[in-house]
Amino acid sequence: MNQVVIPLEATGLSRQRKRRQPKGRQVDAAALAEVRVALGDMPRRRDLLIEHLHCINDRYGQLAMPHLVALASELRLSMTEVYEVATFYHHFDVVREDADGQIAPPPALTVRVCEGIACELAGAQALIDKLPALLGTEVRVIAAPCIGRCEKAPAALVGQNPVDNATAETIGTAVEAKAVRHAPEPHIDYDAYRRDGGYALLKALAGGGLEPDAVLATMEDSGLRGLGGAGFPTGRKWRIVRGEAAPRLMAVNIDEGEPGTFKDRVYLERDPHRFLEGMLIAARVVDVAAIYIYLRDEYAGCRALLAEALQQLQQDPPVARLPRIELRRGAGAYICGEESAMIESIEGKRGMPRLRPPYVAQVGLFGRPTLEHNFETLYWVRDIIEKGAEWFASQGRNGRKGLRSFSVSGRVRRPGVHLAPAGITVRELIDEYCGGMLDGHAFYGYLPGGASGGILPAAMGNIPLDFDTLQPYGCFIGSAAIVILSDHDSATQAARNLMHFFKHESCGQCTPCRTGTAKTLDLIRQPKWDLAALDDLSAVMRDASICGLGQAAPNPVDCVIKYFPHELA
């Protein structure tokens, strides 16, 4: 049977439909001009995308679609690349046009009230419920994940300015004052630090009076381990990265988003140059070409303080040939406390953890070997080198070595950062450092390692607090964030608070974490828990999640089932 072929032209159809305009959203000239004003003379680099988004968000109060289109054009990126980053981070307000093509005006002011575990214990939910009616429709009130001020709970941010021990009245006063910038805490400035011997070790290292190998040996002998949570031996990490091919880079993690953790903020507010000297000593021993400091966005006061300290270093350097130092601003994502997610964020991407191997020490920032450290680890470098490895190693109790900075919050008289011997028990910590329990409160339970470290009853309050001592009980110390519960509290409700946090902060990359945290939260909100289903979820999340968030998220729930069964009866 013969086919009849009809010419395309005879059908009235064209071979190629001509577009009336180029594909995709078009750049608005006015929006492009506004973006260029917001960015000023900043370099137009791909890795600075998050910094550029902050500039626009700060200036205009939101990220409107015309600005995102214009930014994509300015950086020569696809709209997808810009949009996926802008919508990943909690602190970017991405708005879209309504049906009439109009863009909603930004709120006059945003108030973020922390709903973390310490703030919930202090009455944050009642505050969140009360504020909208008090502040009116012009002020947006948001329940926010932990903002790192747990010792002053409940805490809030009015704009970028903290309100400690917040009440409806103090927040209202801050709103009326138009959120005047929070005054920096009294701290040791550059001149005072230099007068007290600051940067002398760095000068000796640069001048040959102190050998890098000697410094490295001291760090190894001290037994100092990473104080961000993982606990990897510091000296060994320096040696591993130093053995990799140059150029080597360094990334410093000050994104302490773990509920209950605030030690880095407290030390940074007191003595920023002690940290910077430790950082520069590590950089010189390992011979890194550039340093990137990643600071969480909630710490606006610390950002101003650190920026000033870095400027002082550049204007009056204690030694020649300082490495290039860049201060990067987070945007509200707990997951960026994970080292590879932080590196992705520094590169201007979504903060999603990488699969390993390769490890950051081998293939890190921009594909180069990278020395990654927590703030507090570097804070102790000067003391250890000056006083000797034995000084640090000789501290400790119950067979443990070293000092730990415990961030203590909850039902104690003196919450705060308490420097105590590694291996101290929580009962000793409460009695000797925290002034005991609050009046009318009896010790009931505690979180030994922040949100992900599990929950233990008071009957298990004599376990030494240090690396490797809590794992047999299904817990870990992490960054030493201790939250104290009393007989006024419930471990079950604490677990609900913590799982709500994990669900909110999951990056969504892997199904076990993304779906597991949501399903677990649904199950534990029920009056009667389905223990078999929770056990299955816990196993899958631990075995199959990409990073520590999903792997550790079941800890609080598992601990309630194991150690607080009376609450489930």
Side-chain angles (χ1 to χ4, degrees):
M1 184 174 179
N2 295 329
Q3 281 188 321
V4 178
V5 179
I6 302 175
L8 185 63
E9 291 77 6
T11 67
L13 299 174
S14 62
R15 290 187 180 275
Q16 185 173 358
R17 191 176 289 175
K18 293 184 178 179
R19 296 187 183 277
R20 295 184 179 180
Q21 63 183 24
K23 186 178 180 180
R25 289 177 175 265
Q26 303 309 299
V27 178
D28 178 78
L32 181 59
E34 290 173 344
V35 164
R36 287 173 173 168
V37 168
L39 301 189
D41 59 359
M42 288 182 65
R44 272 43 169 186
R45 299 200 322 253
R46 173 66 178 82
D47 64 292
L48 291 173
L49 174 57
I50 293 172
E51 299 296 317
H52 295 150
L53 290 169
H54 273 304
C55 288
I56 298 168
N57 202 82
D58 288 348
R59 186 177 184 89
Y60 300 110
Q62 60 187 11
L63 296 174
M65 293 303 290
H67 285 150
L68 295 179
V69 174
L71 180 61
S73 173
E74 184 74 359
L75 297 180
R76 298 185 179 181
L77 298 174
S78 69
M79 181 60 184
T80 300
E81 290 177 277
V82 174
Y83 186 78
E84 70 177 4
V85 173
T87 52
F88 179 85
Y89 295 92
H90 302 318
H91 290 186
F92 291 141
D93 292 316
V94 179
V95 297
R96 303 163 182 83
E97 302 94 334
D98 61 20
D100 298 323
Q102 300 300 308
I103 298 172
L109 191 63
T110 295
V111 174
R112 287 183 166 86
V113 180
C114 178
E115 61 176 356
I117 181 65
C119 288
E120 181 179 274
L121 296 178
Q125 189 55 56
L127 192 57
I128 293 168
D129 294 339
K130 184 177 182 180
L131 282 174
L134 177 68
L135 300 179
T137 57
E138 292 298 309
V139 178
R140 178 176 58 172
V141 178
I142 295 176
C146 184
I147 62 174
R149 309 188 74 82
C150 317
E151 83 279 31
K152 301 173 181 179
L157 292 173
V158 177
Q160 292 187 337
N161 304 287
V163 179
D164 297 329
N165 304 117
T167 64
E169 291 70 26
T170 57
I171 290 176
T173 299
V175 169
E176 290 176 2
K178 305 299 183 184
V180 175
R181 178 67 64 191
H182 179 66
E185 299 289 334
H187 64 279
I188 300 171
D189 64 16
Y190 187 52
D191 292 337
Y193 185 75
R194 293 286 297 269
R195 285 195 301 270
D196 191 37
Y199 294 108
L201 288 173
L202 181 64
K203 290 177 70 174
L205 191 59
L210 182 61
E211 290 297 323
D213 286 341
V215 173
L216 189 53
T218 299
M219 297 307 297
E220 289 176 325
D221 293 343
S222 72
L224 178 67
R225 296 172 64 171
L227 298 174
F232 193 86
T234 302
R236 191 194 309 172
K237 181 183 286 190
W238 290 15
R239 192 175 293 280
I240 290 171
V241 178
R242 194 169 75 155
E244 296 290 328
R248 293 172 287 272
L249 302 176
M250 185 173 182
V252 182
N253 191 337
I254 323 181
D255 193 61
E256 55 173 1
E258 181 83 6
T261 307
F262 48 90
K263 60 184 177 61
D264 293 352
R265 189 205 89 235
V266 169
Y267 285 143
L268 179 53
E269 288 175 340
R270 292 176 184 171
D271 199 352
H273 286 281
R274 186 171 298 271
F275 149 68
L276 289 174
E277 183 172 13
M279 179 186 78
L280 291 170
I281 288 171
R284 191 166 285 268
V285 169
V286 178
D287 190 21
V288 303
I291 303 171
Y292 295 80
I293 303 173
Y294 191 86
L295 178 67
R296 70 181 308 200
D297 193 34
E298 290 85 348
Y299 290 174
C302 288
R303 188 167 63 251
L305 186 66
L306 195 50
E308 180 183 12
L310 290 171
Q311 185 179 36
Q312 291 167 337
L313 270 181
Q314 296 296 329
Q315 292 174 346
D316 182 20
V319 298
R321 199 175 62 83
L322 287 175
R324 178 167 54 87
I325 304 172
E326 292 196 22
L327 177 58
R328 295 298 182 87
R329 177 179 172 187
Y334 165 71
I335 191 63
C336 291
E338 196 276 340
E339 62 176 8
S340 65
M342 176 189 68
I343 283 173
E344 289 286 296
S345 191
I346 291 173
E347 292 180 357
K349 306 171 188 173
R350 293 175 294 172
M352 289 188 167
R354 297 175 178 177
L355 290 171
R356 286 163 286 188
Y359 296 96
V360 165
Q362 302 160 318
V363 181
L365 264 170
F366 309 112
R368 300 308 311 162
T370 302
L371 179 65
E372 188 275 341
H373 267 311
N374 167 258
F375 169 94
E376 195 202 349
T377 309
L378 298 169
Y379 186 84
W380 287 110
V381 168
R382 176 186 168 185
D383 277 330
I384 289 172
I385 297 173
E386 282 185 342
K387 299 176 182 178
E390 179 59 27
W391 164 80
F392 188 80
S394 65
Q395 312 289 331
R397 289 187 189 177
N398 300 308
R400 311 304 296 180
K401 294 182 178 181
L403 293 166
R404 294 303 302 261
S405 301
F406 293 96
S407 303
V408 185
S409 59
R411 309 296 195 177
V412 293
R413 289 181 178 176
R414 289 201 301 271
V417 175
H418 298 290
L419 183 62
I424 193 173
T425 69
V426 71
R427 287 189 179 276
E428 292 169 335
L429 190 64
I430 292 170
D431 293 340
E432 297 176 30
Y433 290 84
C434 302
M437 298 291 293
L438 286 173
D439 291 341
H441 290 258
F443 182 33
Y444 176 67
Y446 65 108
L447 282 64
S452 53
I455 309 174
L456 292 173
M460 299 174 68
N462 293 318
I463 301 170
L465 296 174
D466 197 17
F467 295 114
D468 312 319
T469 60
L470 294 155
Q471 278 85 336
Y473 309 98
C475 300
F476 58 82
I477 193 169
S479 59
I482 313 295
V483 183
I484 305 299
L485 306 178
S486 79
D487 55 348
H488 292 215
D489 306 315
S490 156
T492 303
Q493 184 54 36
R496 290 177 179 133
N497 175 284
L498 302 174
M499 192 55 67
H500 169 75
F501 172 81
F502 289 130
K503 175 188 174 183
H504 184 267
E505 294 300 316
S506 173
C507 75
Q509 179 177 193
C510 67
T511 302
C513 178
R514 180 183 66 248
T515 303
T517 52
K519 181 62 176 175
T520 299
L521 181 59
D522 289 341
L523 289 172
I524 66 174
R525 279 176 170 165
Q526 302 304 314
K528 185 174 179 59
W529 288 13
D530 185 337
L531 301 184
L534 288 170
D535 184 61
D536 285 345
L537 281 168
S538 175
V540 171
M541 291 171 70
R542 292 182 189 282
D543 293 343
S545 294
I546 289 174
C547 82
L549 191 157
Q551 295 162 10
N555 282 345
V557 175
D558 290 350
C559 284
V560 169
I561 295 170
K562 186 174 182 179
Y563 300 119
F564 299 87
H566 57 280
E567 291 194 14
L568 304 177

